[in-house]
Amino acid sequence: ARRPDSIGVALVGLGYYAGHLLAPGLQLTRNCHLAGIVTGTPAKIPEWQAKYGIADRNVYSYDDFDRIADNPEIQAVYIVTPNDLHKPLALRAAAAGKHVWCEKPMAMNAAEAQEMIDACRAANVQLAIGYRMQHQPSTMQLRAMAKDKPYGRMLKVSADAGFHAYDDVDPANKPWRLLPQNGGGAMYDMGVYALQGARYITGQEPVAVTARSEVHRPQLFEGVDETTHFTLEFADGLVAECSTSFGRDMNTLRADCERGWYELSPFQTYDNIKGRTSDGKLIEDEGVLPHQQALQMDNDALAILEKRPPRVPGEEGLRDMRVVDAVYASAREGGRRIV
Ligand code: NDP
């Protein structure tokens, strides 16, 4: 049952992820509920209102969104738009006094991420990033394994996240994920999963990165990366070989250690995360796993209700954006970058 003080959430940007994962997830949550929508497409409004019982007073456009400041039914704003709009919308939500939940990648670069953190701090609202894997119990077992080292010292890590898509796109009418001005490109989209994976499987922060990008379909990928390979170096000398792509299906996170290996494959799907080890053990969730996005939003709402920091705060998104900046700089200009 839903708590009486459940957090009212407004979804901003009613696209695939909001419609297929977050809105259904918000029907399962206990600590928060879908209270409002912000959309630039009036045609979407009737269906959303009918499906989720959203009152007229809780429907906004990007133009009148700042009026949300006066709406006591909405406490958190969840930004699910193309990546270039994350920062401007986060700043407006914070200025309206609303807690901010923001999809990955957090922003276009580290400077924007820092601005978002500063704005939320100044407004005294929470800022949480939508890294759903950090709410998934089996995934987070990797963090304990990085500490306990059940297979000895880690020798090598690999993290690969990508999918093959966009063959049928009309080059004259590209989706935003293929447009540089919207924050398109594989590194922004799927690369952050490989980066996150490399960070949580090692339990370490990268200190340097070397990257290179490849484009096989130049008519589609102009000014955005189709495939990016990046090597992360950690302080103790450990190296993670990572790759991300819009041209190749890949979904594996793996650690090779002195006395064996373990991996999650797939490691970043919405369900069926599968983990195994060299000696035939499984890394899995206990019991039935709840809806990933519902779990994430319930955790983030509870942090608001209990007035403590969210599990994945803005600072965590900022750490990744620093690496993403370095990956793009290295891929563009060559050379190794200190992070
Ligand atoms: P979609 O293109 O399906 O939806 C984005 C929505 O943003 C649109 O439907 C539109 O909603 C709104 N929008 C506002 N301005 C623009 C614009 N200029 N061009 C296109 N859309 C615009 O994208 P996704 O839902 O797949 O992704 C949205 C965000 O969520 C991204 O940041 C992405 O990285 C993240 N994401 C995260 C996932 C995860 O697992 N954590 C999975 C998938 C996506 P409206 O018409 O209502 O204004």
Side-chain angles (χ1 to χ4, degrees):
R2 181 160 288 160
R3 323 174 28 139
D5 55 353
S6 163
I7 299 290
V9 178
L11 291 175
V12 187
L14 308 180
Y16 179 80
Y17 196 56
H20 287 85
L21 282 308
L22 299 180
L26 284 164
Q27 310 313 304
L28 305 171
T29 43
R30 296 186 58 244
N31 304 327
C32 54
H33 61 278
L34 179 56
I37 50 177
V38 183
T39 178
T41 313
K44 293 179 184 173
I45 296 171
E47 195 191 328
W48 276 76
Q49 283 194 292
K51 203 163 175 186
Y52 297 115
I54 296 165
D56 288 343
R57 63 181 180 279
N58 293 350
V59 177
Y60 298 88
S61 71
Y62 300 111
D63 295 329
D64 67 7
F65 163 63
D66 306 277
R67 286 198 297 108
I68 210 164
D70 304 322
N71 190 332
E73 293 173 31
I74 294 166
Q75 289 95 48
V77 162
Y78 195 161
I79 300 164
V80 204
T81 60
N83 304 331
D84 61 313
L85 295 175
H86 291 183
K87 182 198 90 166
L89 288 164
L91 264 47
R92 288 170 69 185
K98 304 302 175 184
H99 300 289
V100 179
W101 296 347
C102 181
E103 259 317 314
K104 47 55 62 176
M106 179 174 176
M108 299 287 278
N109 53 51
E112 285 194 0
Q114 185 66 58
E115 260 187 87
M116 293 161 71
I117 291 171
D118 294 344
C120 289
R121 188 173 297 143
N124 199 21
V125 294
Q126 292 209 356
L127 172 57
I129 309 304
Y131 282 136
R132 55 192 163 76
M133 302 321 305
Q134 292 206 31
H135 297 267
Q136 215 241 346
S138 59
T139 300
M140 286 304 107
Q141 286 180 39
L142 297 183
R143 278 194 173 149
M145 292 173 82
K147 272 211 189 85
D148 302 344
K149 301 185 174 40
Y151 300 92
R153 193 163 59 86
M154 223 174 258
L155 303 176
K156 194 185 133 219
V157 164
S158 60
D160 303 294
F163 55 82
H164 182 97
Y166 305 118
D167 280 337
D168 50 2
V169 162
D170 171 6
N173 188 20
K174 293 180 190 173
W176 67 264
R177 278 186 174 80
L178 303 186
L179 297 174
Q181 63 272 27
N182 291 129
M187 185 63 210
Y188 278 131
D189 195 56
M190 298 305 287
V192 293
Y193 286 104
L195 169 56
Q196 277 276 302
R199 289 180 52 222
Y200 54 65
I201 203 170
T202 61
Q204 295 195 62
E205 297 303 328
V207 295
V209 57
T210 312
R212 95 190 135 78
S213 293
E214 288 166 24
V215 169
H216 293 285
R217 292 172 290 176
Q219 71 286 9
L220 293 183
F221 293 88
E222 289 174 299
V224 298
D225 58 317
E226 180 176 14
T227 296
T228 294
H229 306 277
F230 56 103
T231 303
L232 302 174
E233 298 170 44
F234 298 93
D236 64 355
L238 181 63
V239 161
E241 294 294 353
C242 306
S243 54
T244 185
S245 181
F246 282 157
R248 188 148 68 91
D249 292 316
M250 26 183 202
N251 204 332
T252 299
L253 174 62
R254 178 179 168 110
D256 286 282
C257 310
E258 285 172 311
R259 294 190 300 276
W261 53 262
Y262 52 98
E263 68 175 21
L264 295 187
S265 187
F267 78 102
Q268 47 80 11
T269 38
Y270 298 143
D271 47 32
N272 283 324
I273 302 296
K274 280 199 177 62
R276 51 195 196 112
T277 69
S278 48
D279 53 350
K281 293 199 186 87
L282 297 175
I283 303 170
E284 54 189 356
D285 297 303
E286 276 175 35
V288 181
L289 183 70
H291 190 279
Q292 247 179 36
Q293 288 78 8
L295 188 62
Q296 170 201 320
M297 292 186 284
D298 255 347
N299 283 344
D300 288 342
L302 195 60
I304 293 173
L305 289 163
E306 295 182 348
K307 300 190 189 334
R308 53 174 174 75
R311 187 178 292 207
V312 186
E315 286 76 6
E316 173 73 359
L318 171 61
R319 277 182 212 112
D320 282 347
M321 292 318 302
R322 287 200 185 108
V323 179
V324 170
D325 286 351
V327 165
Y328 276 127
S330 172
R332 204 170 46 238
E333 293 149 27
R336 174 176 177 265
R337 305 277 152 159
I338 304 295
V339 196

